[in-house]
Amino acid sequence: MASLLSRSVYQMTSNLARCTPNRLVHLSAVRAADQVMPDPIEHATGLEKYELLAKQAGNEDPFFLKAVPRAKGTKNEPTIVNAMDNYRMMGCVCNEEDTNIKWMWLCEGTPKRCECGYWFELKTHPAPDKYALPL
């Protein structure tokens, strides 16, 4: 009986010894305390770096992805929609309570009227040159 008891105690202690890690967790945190995460601008390249530099310069929407509020929207003063090409698909939420979006294509130089009566016109901007992006 004593040998059975000593054998089970030995097995329990050997299982506990295998489950505990060799190094303590708090040591790794202390060793890395002097290290800092690098600045995202130093780490980024290409379009991501172009976007971060534009945001740093004050341009919060360098690729014209944010929604544009409707302006007067008449034929003489249409709402300007920015793009980096000579065409763009845009959506109009005609009424605030609408749950659907009315989509239409805008082309450069031709103002277009939505179903709700507002006019939109496309304004093109030069796209960043993919061979001259910041490294």
Side-chain angles (χ1 to χ4, degrees):
M1 185 68 150
S3 67
L4 181 62
L5 183 62
S6 66
R7 188 172 39 192
S8 64
V9 168
Y10 173 73
Q11 286 177 349
M12 285 176 47
T13 57
S14 65
N15 285 342
L16 282 174
R18 274 187 259 138
C19 292
T20 56
N22 293 336
R23 65 183 179 109
L24 298 175
V25 175
H26 74 276
L27 287 179
S28 61
V30 170
R31 288 183 190 149
D34 60 340
Q35 296 177 355
V36 219
M37 288 296 291
D39 186 28
I41 293 178
E42 295 173 9
H43 189 262
T45 60
L47 284 174
E48 182 183 7
K49 190 165 190 171
Y50 175 82
E51 182 178 11
L52 290 172
L53 290 172
K55 285 184 178 182
Q56 192 177 40
N59 184 3
E60 287 297 319
D61 192 19
F63 298 116
F64 311 112
L65 298 176
K66 293 187 179 178
V68 177
R70 284 191 302 209
K72 209 170 190 180
T74 62
K75 189 170 185 177
N76 296 331
E77 294 180 40
T79 302
I80 301 297
V81 178
N82 297 306
M84 290 188 170
D85 209 340
N86 58 357
Y87 60 93
R88 182 174 187 163
M89 179 178 267
M90 61 137 321
C92 178
V93 180
C94 296
N95 297 315
E96 289 183 25
E97 61 273 354
D98 280 352
T99 56
N100 59 350
I101 299 173
K102 293 177 181 67
W103 296 97
M104 63 182 134
W105 283 98
L106 289 179
C107 295
E108 184 181 17
T110 56
K112 193 161 188 180
R113 184 177 178 263
C114 179
E115 294 175 10
C116 62
Y118 281 90
W119 286 83
F120 298 93
E121 187 173 10
L122 192 71
K123 179 181 178 187
T124 58
H125 299 273
D129 183 18
K130 66 179 180 180
Y131 299 109
L133 288 173
L135 297 175

